[in-house]
Amino acid sequence: MSDVAREAKELIDQFAAAPRFAGSEAENRFRDECEKRLTRLGFTSRREDFTYSQLPAKLGPLICGSLFAAGMYLSGHLASSHRAPGLGIGMALLSVVLTWMVGALLLRSTLTLPVMRAGSTNLIATRGVDQPRVWLVAHTDSKSQTIRMLVRVGSIVAAWILFVLAIGTMLAQMSRYPVAMGYPDELLPLESGVAAILAAVAILPVALCFIGNDSRGALDNASGVVAVLLALDEIQPAKNIGVLFTSGEELGLAGARAFLKRHLAKGVAINCDTIDDRGTFVCMTGNRKSPAALALGRAGSAIGHRVKIRSIIPGILTDSIPFSRAGWDAVTLSRGNLGTLSAVHTSGDEPGRIDGAGIALAARVIAATIEELA
């Protein structure tokens, strides 16, 4: 094991000793330790308090999942019991549009909704300049959920596949039996609606996913914070970079949204979120040809570890999303596999599953990327 990996392991054991819900004393102690290390590296740190609503994060999955499930069940009911696949298609499409609109509205309202208000703090550090062009980003808070992330992601993918299948099945039924001819009695009642009803069932794990504070967040996201801190050891002090350790990422990306509301200048944001010792490095981005994504890919190749550039996994929110929507060149660097997705947001996300090797590699990738971009 390298010296950097050993240091990464020591920091993970220290930082992930307890759950760190946004705004908690445990998270604040974590933030204090990060600030001390940044100061030793020559950074000037400041804290920005913000307030937000916990409703989108705590109740959004229930609201959106229930809305989609109800719409798809009604779609299947119309197509099968009422022999009306055309109405079923309309209801299925309406449920998707409404679910997307309500979900987007809730997330955009994280900072402004007047109910379920809470507060937390972002840690911002710069070295030499007030407005760096390139920022390293990671979130300090952790959370647990009643449904594992792997199950949630699978639920969303399955529901989407079944939605497409339901539309196709209903269209096929309309083609076989034109409306003017009516529908024969021998038509199986569920033939045209079963996929829609199954889609309603498939999304239930998302609707039943509730937030708690039972995860020490070693992977998500003490690992990302440590990777950023160790990368700074390798980056030349003259490089024009800033560091942003957000809070409330697990609660509607609240910290990133608060930062962007106050800092209007656009730049490059390299977000580091969940670094396992196992699996493949992934650069998640909305633009696979962006300078930051390509630089991460080249940096990975330079140290002999491929960085896959891909779109963000369905059902996963990362701090790079609001940065991208604000016009930044923003990416998220992660490393893991299906076991990683199964562990995050659970009590199993604890320091014992990390030996620091993956974090040491991530630090090298980040440092090489910064050398090119900054």
Side-chain angles (χ1 to χ4, degrees):
M1 182 184 294
S2 69
D3 291 340
V4 178
R6 276 191 289 271
E7 185 177 9
K9 174 60 175 172
E10 291 172 1
L11 290 173
I12 285 292
D13 290 344
Q14 175 187 355
F15 291 164
R20 305 178 307 278
F21 202 75
S24 66
E25 280 301 314
E27 189 200 21
N28 196 49
R29 289 193 297 270
F30 181 22
R31 193 180 297 114
D32 288 342
E33 293 302 316
C34 293
E35 186 170 13
K36 291 176 184 177
R37 190 173 182 104
L38 289 168
T39 299
R40 289 197 298 269
L41 290 169
F43 283 84
T44 300
S45 300
R46 68 182 187 277
R47 302 188 182 204
E48 288 187 352
D49 297 332
F50 62 91
T51 61
Y52 65 101
S53 171
Q54 294 185 349
L55 186 148
K58 288 190 171 182
L59 297 181
L62 176 63
I63 293 169
C64 294
S66 299
L67 183 61
F68 178 82
M72 292 306 295
Y73 177 82
L74 183 56
S75 170
H77 179 71
L78 288 169
S80 57
S81 299
H82 292 274
R83 306 291 199 271
L87 290 177
I89 291 173
M91 179 55 63
L93 293 173
L94 180 62
S95 70
V96 169
V97 172
L98 285 178
T99 300
W100 178 83
M101 290 179 63
V102 170
L105 178 62
L106 285 173
L107 280 176
R108 285 199 301 267
S109 303
T110 296
L111 297 182
T112 57
L113 281 172
V115 296
M116 297 177 66
R117 301 297 294 179
S120 196
T121 304
N122 288 334
L123 177 62
I124 301 167
T126 57
R127 187 165 56 186
V129 293
D130 292 330
Q131 288 293 334
R133 190 179 71 86
V134 180
W135 290 81
L136 296 180
V137 183
H139 70 89
T140 55
D141 59 316
S142 67
K143 71 175 180 183
S144 60
Q145 290 186 308
T146 53
I147 306 295
R148 292 176 184 267
M149 181 177 286
L150 181 61
V151 176
R152 299 199 310 275
V153 171
S155 170
I156 293 171
V157 172
W160 178 250
I161 292 173
L162 287 165
F163 163 77
V164 174
L165 182 61
I167 297 294
T169 304
M170 294 179 202
L171 286 173
Q173 289 300 104
M174 292 178 68
S175 175
R176 282 180 64 194
Y177 303 106
V179 175
M181 296 173 55
Y183 291 87
D185 291 338
E186 62 269 20
L187 181 65
L188 291 174
L190 290 180
E191 186 175 347
S192 60
V194 63
I197 293 172
L198 289 175
V201 174
I203 205 65
L204 290 181
V206 173
L208 299 175
C209 187
F210 300 105
I211 290 174
N213 188 30
D214 192 34
S215 173
R216 288 191 275 174
L219 284 167
D220 187 13
N221 183 38
S223 65
V225 174
V226 173
V228 168
L229 291 174
L230 295 180
L232 294 174
D233 289 336
E234 302 183 30
I235 297 171
Q236 298 176 14
K239 294 298 181 182
N240 181 11
I241 61 171
V243 178
L244 170 63
F245 288 148
T246 64
S247 180
E249 190 269 359
E250 302 288 11
L251 298 171
L253 312 176
R257 297 180 192 277
F259 175 85
L260 291 167
K261 188 175 181 180
R262 299 174 182 177
H263 301 263
L264 301 181
K266 297 177 176 62
V268 178
I270 299 175
N271 179 48
C272 193
D273 194 341
T274 308
I275 304 296
D276 206 342
D277 298 317
R278 310 162 188 84
T280 304
F281 280 110
V282 175
C283 167
M284 294 185 288
T285 177
N287 180 6
R288 300 187 184 190
K289 300 297 183 181
S290 75
L294 295 177
L296 270 172
R298 288 192 295 269
S301 298
I303 69 168
H305 287 268
R306 181 189 175 197
V307 177
K308 293 183 178 179
I309 301 175
R310 56 161 299 161
S311 300
I312 294 176
I313 298 172
I316 293 180
L317 295 177
T318 73
D319 274 338
S320 61
I321 293 175
F323 278 94
S324 293
R325 291 177 179 170
W328 288 55
D329 180 2
V331 298
T332 293
L333 178 68
S334 296
R335 188 190 192 197
N337 53 22
L338 293 180
T340 309
L341 282 178
S342 183
V344 298
H345 297 166
T346 74
S347 58
D349 186 4
E350 47 87 28
R353 63 170 289 119
I354 299 178
D355 66 19
I359 296 173
L361 288 173
R364 291 176 60 194
V365 172
I366 295 169
T369 303
I370 292 298
E371 289 295 328
E372 180 173 340
L373 290 177

